[in-house]
Amino acid sequence: ECNTLNLDLHIHYFGGGKAQFDEIDVCVHNHGFVSREELITTIGQWDLALLPYPALGKFRKASQYSFPSKSRVYVAAGLPIFAYAQPDSSPHVFFETAYKMYYHNLFLNRDIRAFILAAHNRSDAENEMRFRTAREVVRANFSKEIELDLLHQILLNS
């Protein structure tokens, strides 16, 4: 799709191992391991984040009951999230409601043109709106106070 939109595709890969993108014409940048703070600062300059999530039946329970920590980092960086996840997966259920305007699940919608163009729009007004939304999502769902309060309530009710 990027070729038809006349956009170059660069994939920035963090962590160990080697990204497997040999069969497609993209430029892969492997950054290795970096701190969480450096990751948030670094990825915030790019257009979107990829969130592939287990879709095979044997991973169904993991897909439903676990939540990828990297997706929190993506929101903290204010990035649109391009996912491939089952409709009942925890990230899809969450982002479909809390971050819908900046979330696209390829598993459910193969038409990515509008999402790619919107993600590529780096105007000051669009950036401010996206970052404001991201801050609200982080504050409401991923702050230390929110998460510790939820854990405290669970422990009290056990």
Side-chain angles (χ1 to χ4, degrees):
E1 188 68 32
C2 287
N3 287 338
T4 64
L5 296 172
N6 201 27
L7 300 172
D8 289 331
L9 178 60
H10 291 256
I11 295 178
H12 294 264
Y13 182 78
F14 294 84
K18 179 183 181 297
Q20 300 297 314
F21 297 103
D22 297 335
E23 67 279 354
I24 55 177
D25 188 22
V26 298
C27 185
V28 177
H29 308 269
N30 192 336
H31 298 270
F33 290 100
V34 298
S35 71
R36 183 176 191 270
E37 292 75 23
E38 183 181 349
L39 179 63
I40 290 170
T41 303
T42 302
I43 68 174
Q45 67 185 310
W46 298 317
D47 295 329
L48 58 88
L50 297 175
L51 183 63
Y53 212 61
L56 297 176
K58 67 182 180 178
F59 300 116
R60 193 94 176 159
K61 291 230 184 274
S63 173
Q64 290 174 315
Y65 298 119
S66 65
F67 192 83
S69 59
K70 67 182 170 187
S71 62
R72 295 174 180 186
V73 173
Y74 295 165
V75 175
L79 289 171
I81 298 174
F82 184 61
Y84 184 82
Q86 289 280 353
D88 62 351
S89 68
S90 64
H92 176 76
V93 170
F94 177 79
F95 289 119
E96 185 64 21
T97 56
Y99 204 58
K100 186 175 182 71
M101 189 169 174
Y102 303 107
Y103 174 78
H104 183 94
N105 188 347
L106 182 63
F107 189 88
L108 298 173
N109 183 353
R110 297 275 183 192
D111 185 6
I112 63 172
R113 184 188 246 345
F115 182 77
I116 296 291
L117 289 173
H120 188 64
N121 177 5
R122 303 296 290 200
S123 70
D124 291 342
E126 177 55 33
N127 280 342
E128 178 54 36
M129 188 167 66
R130 192 174 69 238
F131 292 137
R132 185 175 38 252
T133 301
R135 281 191 302 271
E136 290 169 7
V137 169
V138 168
R139 190 175 15 256
N141 300 282
F142 303 132
S143 69
K144 181 171 40 173
E145 295 77 20
I146 293 292
E147 291 184 6
L148 288 177
D149 186 48
L150 288 172
L151 176 60
H152 182 76
Q153 293 303 317
I154 290 168
L155 292 174
L156 284 176
N157 295 322
S158 304

PDB file of all heavy atoms in Angstrom, residues 56-69:
ATOM      1  N   LEU A  56      -3.549 -17.160  16.237  1.00  0.00           N
ATOM      2  CA  LEU A  56      -3.836 -18.585  16.083  1.00  0.00           C
ATOM      3  C   LEU A  56      -4.642 -19.103  17.277  1.00  0.00           C
ATOM      4  O   LEU A  56      -4.491 -18.619  18.404  1.00  0.00           O
ATOM      5  CB  LEU A  56      -2.534 -19.385  15.965  1.00  0.00           C
ATOM      6  CG  LEU A  56      -1.661 -19.064  14.751  1.00  0.00           C
ATOM      7  CD1 LEU A  56      -0.358 -19.846  14.814  1.00  0.00           C
ATOM      8  CD2 LEU A  56      -2.404 -19.362  13.461  1.00  0.00           C
ATOM      9  N   GLY A  57      -5.467 -20.095  17.036  1.00  0.00           N
ATOM     10  CA  GLY A  57      -6.320 -20.665  18.072  1.00  0.00           C
ATOM     11  C   GLY A  57      -5.584 -21.122  19.314  1.00  0.00           C
ATOM     12  O   GLY A  57      -6.073 -20.970  20.433  1.00  0.00           O
ATOM     13  N   LYS A  58      -4.394 -21.674  19.145  1.00  0.00           N
ATOM     14  CA  LYS A  58      -3.653 -22.176  20.304  1.00  0.00           C
ATOM     15  C   LYS A  58      -3.201 -21.051  21.242  1.00  0.00           C
ATOM     16  O   LYS A  58      -2.841 -21.299  22.383  1.00  0.00           O
ATOM     17  CB  LYS A  58      -2.459 -23.028  19.872  1.00  0.00           C
ATOM     18  CG  LYS A  58      -1.362 -22.283  19.153  1.00  0.00           C
ATOM     19  CD  LYS A  58      -0.263 -23.248  18.729  1.00  0.00           C
ATOM     20  CE  LYS A  58       0.859 -22.539  18.009  1.00  0.00           C
ATOM     21  NZ  LYS A  58       1.927 -23.460  17.638  1.00  0.00           N
ATOM     22  N   PHE A  59      -3.237 -19.808  20.779  1.00  0.00           N
ATOM     23  CA  PHE A  59      -2.861 -18.665  21.608  1.00  0.00           C
ATOM     24  C   PHE A  59      -4.079 -17.865  22.073  1.00  0.00           C
ATOM     25  O   PHE A  59      -3.952 -16.765  22.566  1.00  0.00           O
ATOM     26  CB  PHE A  59      -1.922 -17.732  20.843  1.00  0.00           C
ATOM     27  CG  PHE A  59      -0.642 -18.377  20.415  1.00  0.00           C
ATOM     28  CD1 PHE A  59      -0.351 -18.513  19.068  1.00  0.00           C
ATOM     29  CD2 PHE A  59       0.272 -18.845  21.349  1.00  0.00           C
ATOM     30  CE1 PHE A  59       0.832 -19.106  18.654  1.00  0.00           C
ATOM     31  CE2 PHE A  59       1.455 -19.440  20.953  1.00  0.00           C
ATOM     32  CZ  PHE A  59       1.733 -19.566  19.602  1.00  0.00           C
ATOM     33  N   ARG A  60      -5.255 -18.424  21.901  1.00  0.00           N
ATOM     34  CA  ARG A  60      -6.509 -17.706  22.176  1.00  0.00           C
ATOM     35  C   ARG A  60      -6.577 -17.120  23.588  1.00  0.00           C
ATOM     36  O   ARG A  60      -6.888 -15.962  23.765  1.00  0.00           O
ATOM     37  CB  ARG A  60      -7.686 -18.649  21.944  1.00  0.00           C
ATOM     38  CG  ARG A  60      -9.003 -17.962  21.892  1.00  0.00           C
ATOM     39  CD  ARG A  60      -9.295 -17.689  20.486  1.00  0.00           C
ATOM     40  NE  ARG A  60     -10.605 -17.105  20.336  1.00  0.00           N
ATOM     41  CZ  ARG A  60     -10.897 -16.429  19.290  1.00  0.00           C
ATOM     42  NH1 ARG A  60     -10.020 -16.289  18.340  1.00  0.00           N
ATOM     43  NH2 ARG A  60     -12.077 -15.906  19.145  1.00  0.00           N
ATOM     44  N   LYS A  61      -6.302 -17.952  24.582  1.00  0.00           N
ATOM     45  CA  LYS A  61      -6.393 -17.475  25.976  1.00  0.00           C
ATOM     46  C   LYS A  61      -5.359 -16.390  26.259  1.00  0.00           C
ATOM     47  O   LYS A  61      -5.668 -15.387  26.905  1.00  0.00           O
ATOM     48  CB  LYS A  61      -6.244 -18.636  26.949  1.00  0.00           C
ATOM     49  CG  LYS A  61      -7.423 -19.588  26.921  1.00  0.00           C
ATOM     50  CD  LYS A  61      -7.923 -19.839  28.309  1.00  0.00           C
ATOM     51  CE  LYS A  61      -9.024 -20.862  28.314  1.00  0.00           C
ATOM     52  NZ  LYS A  61     -10.319 -20.328  28.093  1.00  0.00           N
ATOM     53  N   ALA A  62      -4.149 -16.578  25.789  1.00  0.00           N
ATOM     54  CA  ALA A  62      -3.115 -15.552  25.979  1.00  0.00           C
ATOM     55  C   ALA A  62      -3.546 -14.247  25.299  1.00  0.00           C
ATOM     56  O   ALA A  62      -3.367 -13.165  25.852  1.00  0.00           O
ATOM     57  CB  ALA A  62      -1.789 -16.021  25.409  1.00  0.00           C
ATOM     58  N   SER A  63      -4.121 -14.359  24.130  1.00  0.00           N
ATOM     59  CA  SER A  63      -4.580 -13.194  23.392  1.00  0.00           C
ATOM     60  C   SER A  63      -5.696 -12.461  24.135  1.00  0.00           C
ATOM     61  O   SER A  63      -5.746 -11.233  24.150  1.00  0.00           O
ATOM     62  CB  SER A  63      -5.070 -13.646  22.008  1.00  0.00           C
ATOM     63  OG  SER A  63      -5.662 -12.593  21.316  1.00  0.00           O
ATOM     64  N   GLN A  64      -6.572 -13.211  24.777  1.00  0.00           N
ATOM     65  CA  GLN A  64      -7.699 -12.611  25.490  1.00  0.00           C
ATOM     66  C   GLN A  64      -7.304 -12.025  26.839  1.00  0.00           C
ATOM     67  O   GLN A  64      -7.861 -11.018  27.256  1.00  0.00           O
ATOM     68  CB  GLN A  64      -8.805 -13.648  25.721  1.00  0.00           C
ATOM     69  CG  GLN A  64      -9.523 -14.058  24.468  1.00  0.00           C
ATOM     70  CD  GLN A  64     -10.499 -15.182  24.741  1.00  0.00           C
ATOM     71  OE1 GLN A  64     -10.191 -16.151  25.428  1.00  0.00           O
ATOM     72  NE2 GLN A  64     -11.695 -15.053  24.206  1.00  0.00           N
ATOM     73  N   TYR A  65      -6.370 -12.676  27.540  1.00  0.00           N
ATOM     74  CA  TYR A  65      -6.130 -12.316  28.932  1.00  0.00           C
ATOM     75  C   TYR A  65      -4.823 -11.590  29.213  1.00  0.00           C
ATOM     76  O   TYR A  65      -4.600 -11.154  30.329  1.00  0.00           O
ATOM     77  CB  TYR A  65      -6.223 -13.567  29.812  1.00  0.00           C
ATOM     78  CG  TYR A  65      -7.595 -14.186  29.761  1.00  0.00           C
ATOM     79  CD1 TYR A  65      -7.772 -15.480  29.292  1.00  0.00           C
ATOM     80  CD2 TYR A  65      -8.720 -13.469  30.152  1.00  0.00           C
ATOM     81  CE1 TYR A  65      -9.032 -16.047  29.235  1.00  0.00           C
ATOM     82  CE2 TYR A  65      -9.984 -14.034  30.090  1.00  0.00           C
ATOM     83  CZ  TYR A  65     -10.130 -15.327  29.632  1.00  0.00           C
ATOM     84  OH  TYR A  65     -11.379 -15.871  29.567  1.00  0.00           O
ATOM     85  N   SER A  66      -3.959 -11.465  28.248  1.00  0.00           N
ATOM     86  CA  SER A  66      -2.734 -10.704  28.485  1.00  0.00           C
ATOM     87  C   SER A  66      -2.803  -9.398  27.698  1.00  0.00           C
ATOM     88  O   SER A  66      -3.568  -9.280  26.746  1.00  0.00           O
ATOM     89  CB  SER A  66      -1.505 -11.519  28.083  1.00  0.00           C
ATOM     90  OG  SER A  66      -1.502 -11.745  26.698  1.00  0.00           O
ATOM     91  N   PHE A  67      -2.030  -8.441  28.138  1.00  0.00           N
ATOM     92  CA  PHE A  67      -2.026  -7.138  27.480  1.00  0.00           C
ATOM     93  C   PHE A  67      -0.578  -6.747  27.225  1.00  0.00           C
ATOM     94  O   PHE A  67       0.228  -6.718  28.156  1.00  0.00           O
ATOM     95  CB  PHE A  67      -2.715  -6.097  28.369  1.00  0.00           C
ATOM     96  CG  PHE A  67      -3.010  -4.805  27.659  1.00  0.00           C
ATOM     97  CD1 PHE A  67      -4.146  -4.686  26.883  1.00  0.00           C
ATOM     98  CD2 PHE A  67      -2.155  -3.727  27.774  1.00  0.00           C
ATOM     99  CE1 PHE A  67      -4.430  -3.502  26.223  1.00  0.00           C
ATOM    100  CE2 PHE A  67      -2.428  -2.541  27.114  1.00  0.00           C
ATOM    101  CZ  PHE A  67      -3.572  -2.430  26.348  1.00  0.00           C
ATOM    102  N   PRO A  68      -0.219  -6.463  25.983  1.00  0.00           N
ATOM    103  CA  PRO A  68       1.187  -6.199  25.658  1.00  0.00           C
ATOM    104  C   PRO A  68       1.670  -4.865  26.228  1.00  0.00           C
ATOM    105  O   PRO A  68       1.096  -3.816  25.963  1.00  0.00           O
ATOM    106  CB  PRO A  68       1.195  -6.179  24.131  1.00  0.00           C
ATOM    107  CG  PRO A  68      -0.201  -5.845  23.740  1.00  0.00           C
ATOM    108  CD  PRO A  68      -1.093  -6.376  24.824  1.00  0.00           C
ATOM    109  N   SER A  69       2.739  -4.919  26.997  1.00  0.00           N
ATOM    110  CA  SER A  69       3.268  -3.697  27.601  1.00  0.00           C
ATOM    111  C   SER A  69       3.745  -2.711  26.536  1.00  0.00           C
ATOM    112  O   SER A  69       3.686  -1.501  26.739  1.00  0.00           O
ATOM    113  CB  SER A  69       4.390  -4.019  28.578  1.00  0.00           C
ATOM    114  OG  SER A  69       5.436  -4.697  27.933  1.00  0.00           O
TER     115      SER A  69
END
